[in-house]
Amino acid sequence: MSEPVLSVAGLTRAFSQGGETIEVLRGVDLHVGAGEIVALLGPSGSGKSTLLQAVGLLEGGFGGSIRIAGEQVAKLDSDGRTRVRRDSLGFVYQFHHLLPDFNATENVVLPQLIRDRTHAEANARATALLSALGLGHRLTHRPSQLSGGEQQRVAVARALANQPALVLADEPTGNLDEATADVVLAEFLRLVRGEGSAALVATHNERMALKMDRVVRLHEGRLA
Ligand SMILES: Nc1ncnc2c1ncn2[C@@H]1O[C@H](COP(=O)(O)OP(=O)(O)OP(=O)(O)O)[C@@H](O)[C@H]1O
Ligand SMILES: [Mg+2]
């Protein structure tokens, strides 16, 4: 078997708050294979976002081992973390975090320019991704001129722009009404599968989780 895209072992994270220590992650072990889409379920406050932030190298302060695409990343310095995020990871959040002054295409082009693509290549890929998500007629709209579902589709295209080995998604449709969420999730899964990326997707929603390849549950700081 090829090496997992993500291997987490013994991951711990505690927060001190007013003299009290809250152990949120108490030894999480998780493997995600190449191209595998894993749903991360757990009630509010169980640590889903904390886990995604650790794996996304967005926050320090955790213990344990994290391997991404074969590289031990838990102890990297800031430059190393930036490199891994840029080269191997894509992110989708509950709120899209698009750049408000740039249109849909530009929001998907920008992360590619950091990867030394030419503007023409980046533009062609942005157009292809947005068209695959049904936004071919909204390419030059700014985020404020798009519906919530359309904004979230742009965020999906941006996350996949650089063909990441692993997409980390934190309630990617949590801000949408149920019908729109179902459509956007289906498109997200289809595109991730088509691109061959793996994904770790935090959600509260059991029904959505069942559309993914595998479900893991956070319970009392560990994965069951
Ligand atoms: N910076 C922080 N300082 C103190 N406690 C924190 C901090 N960040 C998170 N926590 C605590 O860690 C726990 C897990 O939070 P987290 O956001 O990971 O949960 P979650 O599973 O993503 O929940 P939700 O489904 O509501 O998004 C919560 O009890 C929260 O209060
Ligand atoms: Mg959360």
Side-chain angles (χ1 to χ4, degrees), residues 15-17 22 24 42-51 59 170-171 204 218:
F15 295 105
S16 328
Q17 190 72 40
I22 316 165
V24 177
S44 182
S46 60
K48 301 181 296 297
S49 296
T50 302
L51 175 55
E59 268 214 10
D170 196 351
E171 316 220 18
H204 291 107
L218 255 181

Side-chain angles (χ1 to χ4, degrees), residues 7 23 30 45 74 87 101 110-111 115 153 171 191 200 208:
S7 278
E23 291 179 51
L30 172 66
D87 292 350
D101 296 333
L110 283 170
R115 285 286 296 277
R153 289 181 177 93
E171 316 220 18
L191 201 59
L200 180 59
M208 287 195 173

Side-chain angles (χ1 to χ4, degrees), residues 35 37 128-135 153 156 160 182-197 199 201 211-213:
I37 301 178
L129 284 169
L130 290 167
S131 299
L133 289 163
L135 287 181
R153 289 181 177 93
V156 166
L160 289 163
D182 279 1
V183 175
V184 173
L185 181 79
E187 289 178 350
F188 169 75
L189 295 176
R190 181 172 50 76
L191 201 59
V192 169
R193 289 201 170 98
E195 292 283 318
S197 294
V201 186
K211 295 179 181 160
M212 302 181 207
D213 299 333

